[in-house]
Amino acid sequence: VSQQIIGRWLADLFDAVITIDPHLHRVGALDEAVPAGTAIALSAAPLIGGTFRATGVLMLGPDAEAEPWVRAAAAAAGCDAAMCRKTRRGDRDVEVTLPAVPYEGRHVVIVDDVASTGQTLAAVARQVLARGARRVGVAVTHALLVDDADAVLRAAGVSEFLSTDSVPHPSNRIGTADLIAAALRTLPR
């Protein structure tokens, strides 16, 4: 509900809206949420994947909603991808079922659009490590990391956490300026 209200408000204020990995799981396209003259939804997934190119990682999605990001990141990295199934009972109460793929001795990177409480990512990390993964990292577009999320992820065994610079955070390792600049060049002048 708030997405449509804020989207209409933004559309009234701007001729064009450019965003990276908007959380659009309940609408088909950005222009449905933000009916501006031009609404461009960019993806940082190829940038995320590029940071892991030729490392042989397994990119793992924490839930079905993450599948587009995970598949695009894995394609850019040239590595395997798999998706978990998630049941959410509350903001900090999730159950995750891992896909049936080999984890023993692997470097697993959990890829998602946003990390807020860290609970889902931590649940995946604990299970992957219990199945013998050598190392577990997390890569997200938007690092919100509210409250004790950093500590939750560390306690779950996450050894690396990286994000784009879409939200200022110490984990920012992936720049988005070139991605945004390319989109800006497509706008009418």
Side-chain angles (χ1 to χ4, degrees), residues 7 25 51-53 58 92 97 104 116 122 136 141 146 157 165 167:
H25 303 304
T51 64
F52 295 97
R53 191 171 295 120
L58 167 63
R92 295 177 183 271
T97 305
E104 187 73 31
S116 54
V136 177
T141 303
V146 299
D165 57 3
V167 176

Side-chain angles (χ1 to χ4, degrees), residues 6-157:
I6 299 297
R8 281 192 303 273
W9 177 71
L10 287 171
D12 289 342
L13 294 174
F14 302 101
D15 296 328
V17 173
I18 299 172
T19 188
I20 301 172
D21 292 332
H23 205 73
L24 297 175
H25 303 304
R26 285 151 190 90
V27 298
L30 179 60
D31 59 0
E32 291 176 41
V34 184
T38 301
I40 300 173
L42 305 171
S43 178
L47 299 174
I48 289 170
T51 64
F52 295 97
R53 191 171 295 120
T55 60
V57 303
L58 167 63
M59 294 207 168
L60 189 59
D63 53 37
E65 291 178 340
E67 187 165 0
W69 291 283
V70 177
R71 297 269 180 227
C79 67
D80 296 333
M83 301 312 131
C84 298
R85 284 191 332 263
K86 175 175 76 175
T87 303
R88 181 178 291 282
R89 293 184 182 88
D91 288 344
R92 295 177 183 271
D93 184 11
V94 295
E95 180 182 321
V96 178
T97 305
L98 294 181
V101 298
Y103 297 96
E104 187 73 31
R106 295 189 83 176
H107 176 192
V108 177
V109 176
I110 307 164
V111 178
D112 209 352
D113 60 337
V114 63
S116 54
T117 66
Q119 296 299 321
T120 298
L121 300 169
V124 174
R126 283 190 295 272
Q127 288 188 49
V128 166
L129 287 167
R131 293 214 186 157
R134 172 176 51 87
R135 185 169 140 201
V136 177
V138 172
V140 300
T141 303
H142 311 295
L144 301 180
L145 298 171
V146 299
D147 301 328
D148 62 345
D150 287 316
V152 166
L153 292 169
R154 278 192 306 279

